[in-house]
Amino acid sequence: MSDARQADRPTQDGWPGVSAAQVLDLLRAIRGRRIAVVGDAVLDRYVYGEPVRISREAPVLILRWSGEETRLGGAANAATNAAALGAEVELVSLVGDDAAADRLATLAAQHGITAHLVREPGRPTTVKTRFVAGGRQTVQQQVLRLDRWEGRPPSAAAHEALVAAAQRAVGRAEAVIVSEYGGGTVTPELFAAVREAAERRGVPVLVDSRYRLRELKGAYAATPNRGEAEEAVGMSLVDEAALVAAGQRLVDELSLQVLVLTRGEEGMSLFFADGRPPLRVMAYRPREVYDVSGAGDAVVSAMALGLACGTDRVLAAALLADVAAGLVVGKRGVATVSPQEVEEALVGWIPTVYPMEAATDR
């Protein structure tokens, strides 16, 4: 029985057929799926230091440098998450013509990602630098973040190159992620071109947008967190009733088939355009929540991989995303999870899914 038919048969205790085995089957099916990621790639830089004292020049902490590293962030992190789960990934993004773009390209290659980075002279590649304080025997804590970015639209030449690269990548994909982080890559024209190319192939487009969710209409699915959903509907989602109303409103107004509204430690809620009632997926919790950075990228990449195996597997995809996000937040910084980690996490796990109408009774 497909997920779509299962979701039409609620029971008092949840949905029939929902199990870790369902997620395991999907995990094995996603290997080798082709995913295109179009959006704002970010270079995440971490600078580590041991606290020494308070400066006499100003009331600021002095850190003794102990190391640094760079990782892929933003759309590039969504690509990395998909690749880590076994997908073949193409990344299309607008970057600067600088050393940060070189580093992005190098890291993408190391992760097995085919990167089409359109370089625009005069534009800085987006870099987020996090200063992390802590010693060997103490908890490390981020004390400052310094961002360098440019949000203006690309030049005409760069935009033309982006559209061409995106159309080629979508033409080879089984699912498409549009990841918008305010870096200028995702223009309305680029999104329209991506959506049209995906429609011709009959593959789903998933939107993960930090700032412009309401502008990116007509995708198959979107994966906002609660704050992004509140911003999109212009109201505070203070209770379950408000959240249900907002979720269905976004499905209607954004012309979505599925909305995956992530809720942090409260899990996620699924809303559908086909008349099925909204579902609540309770969170898979790691032993300790270390860092929520990148959890949204884990969700959209897992959802895309699941839907690449068939849009009737949306519930299994959501459960996979639930587990992946739960594992990611148990790691430091922007991180990924492997199929082996997910498989181990499924041992003994019993997913909890039920209609939103029952949520207030739990």
Side-chain angles (χ1 to χ4, degrees):
M1 181 179 292
S2 73
D3 294 333
R5 291 193 294 273
Q6 288 172 358
D8 287 331
R9 297 176 56 192
T11 68
Q12 184 177 359
D13 295 324
W15 296 113
V18 174
S19 68
Q22 191 180 33
V23 184
L24 182 59
D25 288 343
L26 184 62
L27 180 67
R28 292 168 176 171
I30 63 179
R31 185 166 186 83
R33 296 290 176 174
R34 300 183 302 276
I35 304 296
V37 181
V38 180
D40 298 312
V42 175
L43 186 66
D44 283 319
R45 179 171 174 250
Y46 294 83
V47 179
Y48 301 102
E50 183 177 352
V52 177
R53 63 180 185 277
I54 301 298
S55 173
R56 288 179 292 182
E57 301 173 358
V60 297
L61 187 64
I62 294 177
L63 303 180
R64 177 183 288 119
W65 182 92
S66 60
E68 61 182 86
E69 64 178 325
T70 52
R71 303 180 189 178
L72 295 173
N77 186 48
T80 306
N81 272 271
L85 287 172
E88 297 179 9
V89 185
E90 292 189 60
L91 169 67
V92 178
S93 185
L94 177 67
V95 297
D97 189 12
D98 51 21
D102 295 339
R103 183 59 179 160
L104 268 172
T106 298
L107 289 174
Q110 290 175 355
H111 286 281
I113 299 166
T114 301
H116 310 285
L117 303 179
V118 176
R119 299 188 181 225
E120 184 178 65
R123 172 189 292 271
T125 298
T126 301
V127 179
K128 296 180 179 179
T129 302
R130 296 170 174 88
F131 294 87
V132 182
R136 294 181 179 179
Q137 305 300 323
T138 60
V139 175
Q140 292 188 321
Q141 177 68 45
Q142 183 180 157
V143 295
L144 177 68
R145 197 179 92 181
L146 178 67
D147 291 357
R148 183 187 184 198
W149 82 97
E150 175 60 69
R152 60 180 169 82
S155 65
H159 189 268
E160 183 178 350
L162 281 169
V163 170
Q167 289 174 326
R168 288 193 297 270
V170 173
R172 294 183 285 264
E174 295 170 277
V176 182
I177 297 171
V178 175
S179 178
E180 186 273 320
Y181 274 84
T185 301
V186 185
T187 64
E189 295 79 12
L190 177 63
F191 180 67
V194 167
R195 193 181 67 246
E196 290 167 7
E199 288 174 353
R200 286 195 296 270
R201 283 183 47 80
V203 299
V205 175
L206 293 85
V207 168
D208 184 25
S209 176
R210 175 62 185 88
Y211 300 105
R212 296 168 48 213
L213 179 61
R214 294 195 64 85
E215 298 176 29
L216 306 180
K217 299 180 180 180
Y220 185 87
T223 60
N225 59 34
R226 184 195 293 264
E228 291 161 353
E230 287 179 333
E231 185 175 340
V233 298
M235 59 182 286
S236 178
L237 307 184
V238 294
D239 54 30
E240 207 77 355
L243 192 142
V244 169
Q248 198 57 59
R249 176 180 162 187
L250 287 174
V251 168
D252 296 339
E253 294 181 356
L254 301 181
S255 301
L256 301 169
Q257 295 303 307
V258 180
L259 178 78
V260 181
L261 200 162
T262 61
R263 305 171 58 174
E265 64 181 13
E266 296 178 355
M268 61 179 66
S269 295
L270 309 182
F271 301 87
F272 307 96
D274 61 6
R276 281 178 283 173
L279 296 180
R280 174 78 176 274
V281 178
M282 299 303 291
Y284 175 90
R285 292 184 175 87
R287 293 180 180 176
E288 180 181 1
V289 175
Y290 190 95
D291 193 334
V292 298
S293 301
D297 298 325
V299 168
V300 73
S301 61
M303 285 297 305
L305 280 167
L307 294 177
C309 297
T311 54
D312 64 332
R313 304 184 78 166
V314 62
L315 182 51
L319 294 173
L320 175 62
D322 186 36
V323 174
L327 293 174
V328 161
V329 299
K331 299 184 178 185
R332 184 179 69 189
V334 176
T336 63
V337 295
S338 68
Q340 292 75 21
E341 288 175 293
V342 175
E343 190 164 344
E344 291 171 4
L346 295 177
V347 176
W349 178 59
I350 301 175
T352 303
V353 180
Y354 51 85
M356 289 286 286
E357 290 80 358
T360 55
D361 299 327
R362 296 285 176 133

